[in-house]
């Protein structure tokens, strides 16, 4: 188990390091080399972000449901690294829009059209804001400064997950997102019920 914990700690460090590189490189790459980011590349990046987000949302409920499986509980530690990795990809696309045309981005931010249900934009943009807040508060300093509010902000992971999954399912017909939502909802409810019986 000692080796297992060491591997988890190393994975956490790698994920955090890669996330920093992504945030430094990907937004400028998208902004200045848009032809490189074909539909296939963009779709793959979003899929990668959502697979890591699925891990974030499912590992703790699974650890609660099957506590005797010793190898699952330590993986909860990786929620931070996986969450930051996921959010760094999503936010890179937002930062690219700001780099390309900041006035248009921030100008549209306060309009009703930006938050409308047309093309389910409200789901995407609510998820984006949640991802941003999760990204900037996923550190020890924020945890100390925010106190009890830190945990409440971290619950925005549900908004991030369901908002982005609904958007991809409804707009791009990605059926797998419906499976993701069903799976996370089911295991979260099961974990909640099991924890209530413990009390």
């Amino acid at each position: 188990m000692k080796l297992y914990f060491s591997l988890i700690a190393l994975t956490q460090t790698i994920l955090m390091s890669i996330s920093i590189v992504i945030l430094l490189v990907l937004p400028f790459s998208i902004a200045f080399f848009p032809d490189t980011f074909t539909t296939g590349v963009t779709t793959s990046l979003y899929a990668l972000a959502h697979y890591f987000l699925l891990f974030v949302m499912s590992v703790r409920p699974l650890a609660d449901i099957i506590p005797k499986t010793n190898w699952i509980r330590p993986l909860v530690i990786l929620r931070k690294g996986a969450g930051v990795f996921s959010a760094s990809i999503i936010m890179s696309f937002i930062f690219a829009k700001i780099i390309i045309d900041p006035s248009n981005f921030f100008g549209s931010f306060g309009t009703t059209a930006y938050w409308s249900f047309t093309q389910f934009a409200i789901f995407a943009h609510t998820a984006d804001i949640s991802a941003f807040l999760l990204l900037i508060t996923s550190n020890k300093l924020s945890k100390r400064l925010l106190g009890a509010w830190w945990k409440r902000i971290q619950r925005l992971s549900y908004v991030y997950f369901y908002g982005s999954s609904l958007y991809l399912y409804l707009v791009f017909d990605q059926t797998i997102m419906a499976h993701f939502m069903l799976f996370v909802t089911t295991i979260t409810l099961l974990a909640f019920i099991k924890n209530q019986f413990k009390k």
Side-chain angles (χ1 to χ4, degrees):
M1 283 301 285
K2 186 177 180 182
L3 176 61
Y4 187 49
F5 276 102
S6 297
L7 287 173
I8 288 173
L10 176 61
T11 304
Q12 182 90 294
T13 302
I14 292 171
L15 284 173
M16 296 299 287
S17 300
I18 292 175
S19 298
I20 292 170
V21 173
I22 287 172
L23 287 168
L24 290 174
V25 175
L26 189 56
F28 292 98
S29 300
I30 296 169
F32 296 111
F33 305 100
D35 292 340
T36 306
F37 293 87
T38 61
T39 302
V41 172
T42 302
T43 302
S44 296
L45 285 170
Y46 274 113
L48 183 62
H50 279 84
Y51 277 115
F52 273 84
L53 182 56
L54 176 66
F55 170 83
V56 172
M57 301 304 298
S58 58
V59 67
R60 186 184 292 279
L62 286 174
D64 290 341
I65 293 169
I66 43 178
K68 291 182 180 180
T69 308
N70 295 332
W71 62 271
I72 294 181
R73 178 63 63 180
L75 291 176
V76 173
I77 298 168
L78 287 176
R79 290 175 81 243
K80 176 183 176 180
V84 170
F85 180 84
S86 173
S88 67
I89 294 174
I90 300 300
M91 291 313 303
S92 289
F93 285 93
I94 304 301
F95 293 150
K97 291 179 183 178
I98 295 172
I99 293 169
I100 294 168
D101 192 349
S103 59
N104 180 60
F105 178 82
F106 290 110
S108 63
F109 194 80
T111 63
T112 54
Y114 192 85
W115 299 102
S116 73
F117 281 93
T118 304
Q119 288 296 301
F120 304 101
I122 189 170
F123 293 133
H125 298 145
T126 303
D128 291 342
I129 290 177
S130 301
F132 176 71
L133 291 173
L134 290 166
L135 185 63
I136 64 172
T137 57
S138 293
N139 53 75
K140 292 179 180 178
L141 177 61
S142 294
K143 194 172 184 178
R144 277 202 308 272
L145 293 175
L146 293 169
W149 275 98
W150 183 83
K151 197 167 186 178
R152 292 168 187 164
I153 290 173
Q154 293 304 301
R155 291 194 184 108
L156 286 172
S157 59
Y158 289 95
V159 179
Y160 174 31
F161 172 73
Y162 284 105
S164 58
S165 297
L166 274 170
Y167 180 73
L168 290 174
Y169 172 63
L170 294 170
V171 176
F172 296 100
D173 197 29
Q174 292 195 15
T175 309
I176 193 170
M177 292 301 157
H179 298 312
F180 282 4
M181 287 186 285
L182 179 61
F183 176 70
V184 169
T185 302
T186 301
I187 62 172
T188 301
L189 287 173
L190 288 173
F192 175 77
I193 293 168
K194 185 171 183 179
N195 290 332
Q196 288 302 305
F197 276 111
K198 281 183 181 179
K199 296 177 181 179

